[in-house]
Amino acid sequence: MNHSRGGDDLEDGFDIDLDVSSAGEDALHVVQELVKAKKKKKNKKRKAQEMLAEAETTQALAKRRKTEKVEENSSEVLAITLKSPAVQAEYFYSILGRVNKDLTSLELEELRLPDAAFIDSHEYVTVRDVENLPDFITQVVPTLKTRLAQRSANKGAPTLLLITSSALRATEFTRVLRGMRGPKSGEIAKLFARHFKLEEHAQYLRKNHVCAGVGTAGRIGKLLSETSALNLNALTHIIIDSHIDVKKRSIFDIPETRDPLIKDILGNEAVKKSIASGKLSIVLF
């Protein structure tokens, strides 16, 4: 009886050699590489998230420290107004160093304002706002109250310069000071850059008697350094407004107000001479 052979029973001379173990190792290697890549990507993402979180934390800390520093500075300014003349003089000396970083200690000492230049106002404990300025002058510097009611001999020669940080504050101070003028004492000059050119202010001062000039450090500084219109012959008091704005900054914190105050006004040769002679006093309000 003849039996037919199946396909697997053919003796065709070929041996089938399947390398199953090799194929399995290759597949395992591929899987392992994929797992490694996934882990690496995951680690990289986690590291990026950690770096972002660290950066945000650092930024938040820096912002908080800046806020704390500003609040500390504003508190310091308010406290200085109630300190003795000696402490106020030392505070101004520290500001001199900030403004004149290129000067040596010896050169800074030559610019130091004497203790006697500052009026002692520590006993005035009422809030120092705009509306209380007349009362402040009456109690702390009564001689200034008298002089504001008098007429100076020369035009453009105020007895008072009130220096503040903004045009708005200058306008408010001008309003309350008008009530302290005498019948013939002259005008309260508003001296700030908004709406007024420097030459317009110079012409105004040359033509009018003024008992007080109220304005920003930038404009008053320019009138002193770039024109001869602001006459200092009658000047007896400089009141510096220590108001703290909504950003917790005072006139001493903003370079645009601090630098001209120190360099162009208090650093003016005629002003320094008047301070040294005892004719001119500084009052922190």
Side-chain angles (χ1 to χ4, degrees), residues 24 34 49 70 136 148 173 177 189 208 243 256 259 261-262 269:
L34 288 173
Q49 290 174 336
V70 169
F136 175 85
L148 284 170
F173 278 121
L177 281 173
N208 294 278
H243 171 70
E256 291 78 12
D259 292 4
L261 170 65
I262 298 299
E269 289 302 322

Short mmCIF file of all heavy atoms in Angstrom, two decimals, residues 24 34 49 70 136 148 173 177 189 208 243 256 259 261-262 269:
data_model
loop_
_atom_site.label_atom_id
_atom_site.label_comp_id
_atom_site.label_asym_id
_atom_site.label_seq_id
_atom_site.Cartn_x
_atom_site.Cartn_y
_atom_site.Cartn_z
N GLY A 24 14.30 37.16 20.34
CA GLY A 24 13.76 37.60 21.63
C GLY A 24 14.63 38.63 22.31
O GLY A 24 14.15 39.59 22.91
N LEU A 34 13.20 51.75 24.91
CA LEU A 34 12.00 52.58 24.97
C LEU A 34 11.68 53.00 26.41
O LEU A 34 11.30 54.14 26.68
CB LEU A 34 10.81 51.82 24.37
CG LEU A 34 10.82 51.65 22.84
CD1 LEU A 34 9.68 50.73 22.41
CD2 LEU A 34 10.68 53.01 22.16
N GLN A 49 10.21 71.14 35.69
CA GLN A 49 9.18 71.62 36.60
C GLN A 49 9.79 72.10 37.92
O GLN A 49 9.38 73.11 38.48
CB GLN A 49 8.16 70.51 36.86
CG GLN A 49 7.29 70.18 35.66
CD GLN A 49 6.39 68.98 35.90
OE1 GLN A 49 6.69 68.13 36.75
NE2 GLN A 49 5.30 68.89 35.15
N VAL A 70 11.39 98.45 50.64
CA VAL A 70 10.70 99.72 50.38
C VAL A 70 9.93 100.17 51.60
O VAL A 70 9.96 101.34 51.99
CB VAL A 70 9.74 99.57 49.17
CG1 VAL A 70 8.84 100.79 49.06
CG2 VAL A 70 10.54 99.39 47.88
N PHE A 136 1.81 123.54 61.32
CA PHE A 136 3.19 123.09 61.52
C PHE A 136 4.14 124.29 61.51
O PHE A 136 5.00 124.43 62.39
CB PHE A 136 3.57 122.10 60.41
CG PHE A 136 5.00 121.66 60.44
CD1 PHE A 136 5.42 120.60 61.25
CD2 PHE A 136 5.96 122.28 59.64
CE1 PHE A 136 6.74 120.19 61.28
CE2 PHE A 136 7.28 121.88 59.65
CZ PHE A 136 7.68 120.82 60.47
N LEU A 148 6.51 135.13 55.91
CA LEU A 148 5.61 134.86 54.78
C LEU A 148 4.60 136.00 54.59
O LEU A 148 4.08 136.20 53.47
CB LEU A 148 4.86 133.55 55.00
CG LEU A 148 5.65 132.26 54.76
CD1 LEU A 148 4.87 131.05 55.24
CD2 LEU A 148 6.02 132.11 53.28
N PHE A 173 0.06 122.21 48.21
CA PHE A 173 0.78 123.06 49.18
C PHE A 173 0.61 124.54 48.85
O PHE A 173 0.51 125.37 49.76
CB PHE A 173 2.26 122.69 49.19
CG PHE A 173 2.60 121.49 50.03
CD1 PHE A 173 3.22 120.38 49.47
CD2 PHE A 173 2.30 121.46 51.39
CE1 PHE A 173 3.53 119.27 50.24
CE2 PHE A 173 2.61 120.37 52.17
CZ PHE A 173 3.23 119.26 51.60
N LEU A 177 -0.77 127.47 51.48
CA LEU A 177 0.15 128.55 51.84
C LEU A 177 -0.40 129.93 51.50
O LEU A 177 0.01 130.93 52.11
CB LEU A 177 1.50 128.35 51.14
CG LEU A 177 2.45 127.33 51.76
CD1 LEU A 177 3.66 127.10 50.86
CD2 LEU A 177 2.89 127.78 53.15
N ALA A 189 4.74 131.02 44.32
CA ALA A 189 5.10 130.57 42.96
C ALA A 189 5.05 129.05 42.86
O ALA A 189 5.66 128.34 43.66
CB ALA A 189 6.50 131.07 42.62
N ASN A 208 7.87 139.27 39.23
CA ASN A 208 6.96 139.26 40.37
C ASN A 208 7.65 139.09 41.72
O ASN A 208 8.67 138.40 41.82
CB ASN A 208 5.95 138.12 40.21
CG ASN A 208 5.03 138.31 39.03
OD1 ASN A 208 4.04 139.03 39.12
ND2 ASN A 208 5.35 137.68 37.91
N HIS A 243 6.62 113.12 52.13
CA HIS A 243 5.44 112.31 51.81
C HIS A 243 5.81 110.96 51.20
O HIS A 243 6.72 110.87 50.36
CB HIS A 243 4.56 113.09 50.82
CG HIS A 243 3.43 112.29 50.24
ND1 HIS A 243 2.35 111.90 50.98
CD2 HIS A 243 3.23 111.81 48.98
CE1 HIS A 243 1.52 111.21 50.20
NE2 HIS A 243 2.03 111.14 49.00
N GLU A 256 15.03 110.71 40.29
CA GLU A 256 14.64 111.93 39.59
C GLU A 256 14.30 113.07 40.55
O GLU A 256 14.31 114.24 40.14
CB GLU A 256 13.43 111.65 38.69
CG GLU A 256 13.72 110.76 37.49
CD GLU A 256 13.80 109.29 37.85
OE1 GLU A 256 13.39 108.92 38.99
OE2 GLU A 256 14.26 108.48 37.02
N ASP A 259 18.23 113.17 43.40
CA ASP A 259 19.49 113.68 42.87
C ASP A 259 19.50 115.20 42.68
O ASP A 259 20.45 115.87 43.12
CB ASP A 259 19.85 112.97 41.56
CG ASP A 259 20.19 111.50 41.79
OD1 ASP A 259 20.08 111.03 42.95
OD2 ASP A 259 20.57 110.81 40.82
N LEU A 261 17.64 117.32 44.24
CA LEU A 261 17.55 117.89 45.59
C LEU A 261 18.92 118.00 46.22
O LEU A 261 19.29 119.05 46.78
CB LEU A 261 16.64 117.02 46.47
CG LEU A 261 16.63 117.35 47.97
CD1 LEU A 261 16.05 118.74 48.21
CD2 LEU A 261 15.84 116.30 48.74
N ILE A 262 19.70 116.93 46.13
CA ILE A 262 21.01 116.90 46.76
C ILE A 262 22.04 117.70 45.97
O ILE A 262 22.81 118.50 46.53
CB ILE A 262 21.49 115.44 46.92
CG1 ILE A 262 20.54 114.66 47.84
CG2 ILE A 262 22.91 115.39 47.45
CD1 ILE A 262 20.43 115.21 49.23
N GLU A 269 26.08 126.45 45.46
CA GLU A 269 27.08 127.19 46.25
C GLU A 269 26.47 128.26 47.13
O GLU A 269 26.85 128.44 48.29
CB GLU A 269 28.14 127.80 45.32
CG GLU A 269 29.08 126.79 44.68
CD GLU A 269 29.84 125.97 45.72
OE1 GLU A 269 30.23 126.55 46.77
OE2 GLU A 269 30.02 124.77 45.51
#
